[in-house]
Amino acid sequence: MLNPVWLKSLVAIVQTGSFQSAARALGLAQPTVSQHLQKLEEQVGVTLVQRSRSGCQPTTRALAFMPHATALLDMHARALEALHGNRERVGASSNIGTYLLQPFVRNYLTTANERGEVDLRIAANPDVADQLLAGQLDAAIMEWWLPHPDFEYRLWRVEPLVLIVSPDHALAEAGCIERDRLVDLPMLGGEPGSGTGRLLTEYFGELGVPRSGMQLGSTEAVKQAVRAGLGVSLVMASAVQDEVRSGALVALPIPGLEKRLQLIWRKPPGNLHPPGFVRHLLEEADLAG
């Protein structure tokens, strides 16, 4: 097993560029940091830092090792937190974390019997999946999820997709829009990796997916572009509630087009319960159902 104290000294040396700066950052004496590095190099049998009068430089092998060293330190910190802390690490894909989840976090923190903390991490859906698989998250709420034997998952919420247009668009008074009318509309694209493309392929089938216009990278950017009259787009209904309420955008319902949002958590050992926040969301889902 690699000593986390030695790893922390290596990471500090590489990040700060000198033994003196690393010692200052860690609150240690410089000889202590040097000793940590020496012991680590002896253990792994590889030179990790080249010393010279002008300073020090990480070796190629050290640079290749750095992502693993930081991951080990992160895992060590999380293991200690699991023993002594009460913080739950919850991931959410961007639209869910931005437009849907935060009221549930607030409700959990104010009503949970066991007071704890929720570390909410919002990222693109593929990044959330990677963090979950790497053990960096206790649970996640995502727009899509591929089943994995180490995890349990459940449908959390069905969220309709709507077509958003500017108030002066020709379709603004349509009320709702059918699948056949959507095919010929060039769509502004939002965040990649959200699973919308896969959903549209299934929904449109033999009609083919609508033409894609600008790829804007986020729902917020899409909303601004639609407001400016640059095109139309498909978004989750919850993402445009404020704009629809204020009259800045018009949201047209689309029969049968919806996202099935998934709640995922690592299978607990034995008969242990899922994390507290997961239980809270499951209870809320049961009440809503």
Side-chain angles (χ1 to χ4, degrees), residues 15 21 35 61 73 81 93-94 104 141 193 214 219 226 228:
Q15 290 179 342
S21 298
Q35 186 180 49
R61 291 186 177 183
L73 289 173
E81 188 175 274
S93 58
S94 300
F104 292 92
I141 303 91
M214 291 184 286
T219 299
V226 173

Side-chain angles (χ1 to χ4, degrees), residues 132 138 148-153 264-275:
L132 194 61
D138 299 308
H148 188 284
D150 294 337
F151 293 87
E152 297 184 24
Y153 67 99
I264 308 105
W265 65 97
R266 186 176 293 275
K267 289 181 179 178
N271 295 319
L272 294 180
H273 293 296

Side-chain angles (χ1 to χ4, degrees), residues 142-215:
M142 302 167 62
E143 296 185 42
W144 57 263
W145 166 255
L146 297 177
H148 188 284
D150 294 337
F151 293 87
E152 297 184 24
Y153 67 99
R154 176 174 162 178
L155 175 67
W156 177 58
R157 179 172 177 148
V158 177
E159 178 70 11
L161 291 185
V162 295
L163 180 74
I164 55 172
V165 302
S166 62
D168 58 355
H169 193 278
L171 292 173
E173 302 296 330
C176 88
I177 189 163
E178 298 292 335
R179 186 178 69 157
D180 294 353
R181 297 185 66 187
L182 283 173
V183 175
D184 296 326
L185 295 175
M187 298 284 176
L188 300 176
E191 180 181 291
S194 66
T196 301
R198 184 185 314 170
L199 177 64
L200 293 181
T201 299
E202 296 175 358
Y203 178 75
F204 285 99
E206 71 284 353
L207 295 177
V209 177
R211 300 191 309 276
S212 178
M214 291 184 286
Q215 297 298 310

